[in-house]
Amino acid sequence: MEAIPVLSTASGRQAWRAELGATLSLAWPLILSNLTYAAIQATDVVLMGWLGARPLAASALGINLVFAFSLVCLGLVTASSPMMATAIGAKIQVVHDVRRTFRQSLWMIVTVMVPIWLVLWNSEPIILALGQEPALARDAQTFIHGYMWSMMPFLFFQAMRNFVAALERPGWVLVISLFGIGANALLGYGLIFGHFGLPALGIFGGGLASSIVWTVLALMLAVVIVTDRQFRRFHLFGRFWRPDWPRYRKLWRLGLPIGLAMGFEGGVFSAAAYLMGLIDAESVAAHAVALQIAAMAFMVPWGLSQAATVRVGRCLGEGDKPGIARSGWTAWMLGVGFMAMTAIVIWSIPRDLITIFLDDTAENARVIALATSFLAIAAIFQIVDGAQVVGAGMLRGLHDTRVPMIFAFVGYWAIGIGIGAWLAFRQGWQGQGIWTGLAVGLAIVAVLMLWRWTRRETLGLTRVAS
């Protein structure tokens, strides 16, 4: 396996320092934007926790079902990021090439949304078929009926975010996302509990608030793109109705494996939530809280992964193989280092983190105890979780998506969820067994991603894709 390159010359150190600065400059707004996205979801969890453990469990089932579909679609859209970055690095017909990719990424979103909405509208039978309590399934569908409409504006927002990130100007995304946190908290509070002159819609109101907020955020970023001088020269939304079938097909070829890989990863956590439902509602609620805490930490390596995709993709377009190595390894070391620190924090103060989401009362005592035991395992897998997500971003920058998709399926589903279910139900570990299986799956995928990255030259991944 290739070692992490270390250059002792002054020029080598300067190149690494320059790459570190470029990666951090691109990554920090993306990281903070990811954190605001997680904060919006965390707000939903907090508000549902105020309603009670059972509404929290029902909304968790709904969010996890929508999340599985959203991740697949997000993977499709993610394909536009390395394609735009490589076009910018190649410096050939940049405006035309970037515009083609962006427009067809929006076409992909429109293509998939209608059938997904039809499935989600009729989600109660699906949730029942997964062995959940009828009352929880009914309430989960009520939440989904409000929440499902957030998917299209959320994906439009991500497509536009990929564009501004490819130009290495993600600051506007951060500003708009920060607005979204406050807007979601206020609107969700009003629509759930009936404050500010709004109707009290309960669990449905929490989902509806997220749909409204994501629509507003997408419109705000679109306004920035059509008015900012550097962005508007691309005319991204002009003649949106014109098809570009070659680029559309290329996005599907690159994006479908990314979408399936992300779906396998996110879907395994959704599957874990439904396995928790086979235990009891308290386990579902504890899983939702523990997963939300882990997800907040995950936003940092995810942002570094997105930065790695852009930086590696640009170096690929320029034909700069040493630059490919520097950009990939820089992001990887930052991501793994950060997750090592968060593992220590989660291990040290789990109860303090959990009681952010749940009141420390006798009624919630069992949920808090379960969540604490889950976080003890989550602290262990933080490091490998960071390694696998940044590794995936590095490979996406090389337009390498099909084999990582296979890695994700084998690691998360054939091994991770299999071990988790076996430990939970055959060995009596219950929820702790499910989380142990998740940790094993993440570790295996991390090793496979890193192995493939170190063999990129041998595999011909550093040649620009046609």
Side-chain angles (χ1 to χ4, degrees):
M1 181 177 287
E2 174 195 65
I4 298 176
V6 178
L7 300 179
S8 58
T9 65
S11 61
R13 289 193 297 271
Q14 185 177 3
W16 280 90
R17 282 195 297 269
E19 182 57 45
L20 176 63
T23 298
L24 290 175
S25 177
L26 174 60
W28 77 261
L30 295 175
I31 290 168
L32 292 177
S33 173
N34 289 342
L35 286 170
T36 59
Y37 164 65
I40 289 173
Q41 279 202 327
T43 301
D44 293 334
V45 174
V46 170
L47 292 174
M48 292 304 167
W50 290 354
L51 275 178
R54 290 190 67 84
L56 174 59
S59 64
L61 293 176
I63 287 174
N64 277 280
L65 184 60
V66 176
F67 186 59
F69 284 104
S70 295
L71 273 183
V72 175
C73 296
L74 182 59
L76 293 173
V77 176
T78 298
S80 64
S81 181
M83 289 175 64
M84 288 188 285
T86 301
I88 292 169
K91 299 180 175 67
I92 300 173
Q93 293 186 322
V94 173
V95 170
H96 176 67
D97 208 14
V98 168
R99 182 169 58 237
R100 289 178 64 198
T101 298
F102 176 82
R103 287 176 179 170
Q104 294 313 299
S105 69
L106 299 189
W107 275 55
M108 291 174 68
I109 295 169
V110 174
T111 301
V112 299
M113 280 317 306
V114 173
I116 289 176
W117 276 337
L118 287 174
V119 172
L120 291 176
W121 187 259
N122 299 283
S123 54
E124 183 177 355
I126 299 172
I127 297 171
L128 285 172
L130 293 171
Q132 306 306 304
E133 296 178 24
L136 285 180
R138 182 181 63 252
D139 289 346
Q141 179 172 270
T142 300
F143 176 82
I144 288 172
H145 282 174
Y147 189 74
M148 58 187 273
W149 311 110
S150 68
M151 283 187 66
M152 181 175 282
F154 167 74
L155 293 170
F156 279 172
F157 185 90
Q158 298 307 313
M160 291 183 282
R161 174 178 137 147
N162 289 343
F163 164 70
V164 300
L167 292 177
E168 301 197 1
R169 287 194 58 200
W172 273 111
V173 175
L174 171 60
V175 173
I176 293 170
S177 299
L178 287 173
F179 166 80
I181 297 176
N184 191 69
L186 290 174
L187 188 60
Y189 183 67
L191 287 174
I192 291 171
F193 299 103
H195 297 292
F196 315 125
L198 298 172
L201 301 178
I203 194 170
F204 174 79
L208 181 62
S210 294
S211 295
I212 295 171
V213 168
W214 277 113
T215 300
V216 172
L217 297 186
L219 290 172
M220 290 173 67
L221 188 52
V223 169
V224 169
I225 288 174
V226 299
T227 56
D228 183 277
R229 183 173 57 84
Q230 184 172 346
F231 297 149
R232 70 187 181 201
R233 66 190 179 94
F234 287 85
H235 303 289
L236 291 184
F237 300 104
R239 298 183 179 180
F240 170 79
W241 59 88
R242 293 185 61 180
D244 184 349
W245 301 119
R247 185 55 53 97
Y248 182 79
R249 288 191 293 269
K250 186 174 182 179
L251 274 165
W252 272 99
R253 286 197 304 270
L254 185 62
L256 185 58
I258 298 175
L260 291 176
M262 293 178 70
F264 292 149
E265 179 184 358
V268 79
F269 288 97
S270 297
Y274 284 92
L275 289 176
M276 293 290 182
L278 299 178
I279 300 172
D280 52 41
E282 289 80 4
S283 294
V284 178
H287 174 78
V289 172
L291 185 59
Q292 191 62 60
I293 293 168
M296 291 294 289
F298 179 78
M299 295 301 107
V300 174
W302 188 20
L304 288 164
S305 172
Q306 293 160 335
T309 297
V310 173
R311 295 294 302 162
V312 171
R314 280 204 170 193
C315 292
L316 179 68
E318 295 167 357
D320 181 4
K321 292 184 179 181
I324 289 173
R326 282 194 301 271
S327 56
W329 283 119
T330 298
W332 189 86
M333 289 185 285
L334 288 170
V336 173
F338 174 83
M339 291 301 264
M341 291 188 293
T342 62
I344 296 172
V345 173
I346 290 174
W347 185 275
S348 302
I349 53 169
R351 192 178 187 90
D352 294 323
L353 297 173
I354 292 163
T355 51
I356 295 172
F357 297 89
L358 285 172
D359 292 333
D360 193 356
T361 62
E363 182 183 358
N364 292 329
R366 183 165 182 267
V367 176
I368 292 172
L370 287 170
T372 301
S373 69
F374 298 162
L375 282 183
I377 302 167
I380 297 171
F381 77 49
Q382 288 296 296
I383 297 173
V384 292
D385 200 10
Q388 66 82 21
V389 72
V390 180
M394 293 150 61
L395 292 172
R396 286 168 193 155
L398 299 176
H399 299 203
D400 181 37
T401 61
R402 294 184 182 181
V403 174
M405 174 193 68
I406 297 171
F407 291 164
F409 176 76
V410 172
Y412 299 134
W413 287 91
I415 298 174
I417 205 70
I419 290 176
W422 178 73
L423 289 173
F425 301 108
R426 294 293 183 90
Q427 300 302 309
W429 289 24
Q430 296 192 317
Q432 292 182 24
I434 294 169
W435 274 73
T436 301
L438 295 176
V440 172
L442 287 167
I444 289 171
V445 174
V447 171
L448 291 173
M449 294 291 190
L450 189 60
W451 171 80
R452 187 163 177 84
W453 168 258
T454 60
R455 299 188 71 244
R456 62 190 179 278
E457 294 282 354
T458 304
L459 298 171
L461 300 179
T462 55
R463 294 191 295 268
V464 180
S466 60

